[in-house]
Amino acid sequence: MRITGSPNIQNVLKTYGKNVKKTEETEKTGFKSDKVEISSAARDYQVAMQALKEVPEVRSEKVNAIKEQISSGSYKPNAEQIADHILKGLTK
């Protein structure tokens, strides 16, 4: 049985040959290096985050001042202001 004269086999061989050529061309092009660019907004965000990390979580001067006022009995919080701040915190 001779299969080289079959047109179907010839079509398969042509298709295979095209795929091999494409693969060889891809290998010849080589690799391109990746490049990362950071936008100016991202840089601004990085600067802001760094500044935020440097701020202490607890403002000890303010805490100590309120502690002194409480211990001396002179701390008189305004109930309306407290309620306003609570409501503002809920709406954020």
Side-chain angles (χ1 to χ4, degrees):
M1 180 172 155
R2 194 169 172 202
I3 58 172
T4 57
S6 173
N8 292 334
I9 296 297
Q10 295 301 322
N11 290 337
V12 170
L13 291 174
K14 287 179 187 176
T15 304
Y16 176 74
K18 289 178 185 177
N19 288 340
V20 169
K21 288 178 186 176
K22 287 181 183 177
T23 304
E24 289 172 356
E25 289 173 6
T26 306
E27 290 173 357
K28 290 179 185 177
T29 59
F31 295 101
K32 295 182 180 179
S33 62
D34 293 333
K35 184 177 180 181
V36 177
E37 292 184 20
I38 299 174
S39 68
S40 61
R43 286 190 194 114
D44 293 342
Y45 180 76
Q46 286 178 335
V47 169
M49 286 301 294
Q50 185 62 34
L52 183 62
K53 287 179 183 178
E54 292 174 3
V55 173
E57 194 166 318
V58 177
R59 295 181 291 178
S60 58
E61 313 88 37
K62 193 166 188 173
V63 170
N64 290 336
I66 292 174
K67 281 183 180 180
E68 280 184 35
Q69 290 176 358
I70 291 172
S71 64
S72 68
S74 63
Y75 182 66
K76 306 288 184 204
N78 184 340
E80 288 183 23
Q81 287 179 346
I82 293 172
D84 287 340
H85 287 289
I86 290 172
L87 292 174
K88 285 180 185 176
L90 293 175
T91 58
K92 288 184 180 179

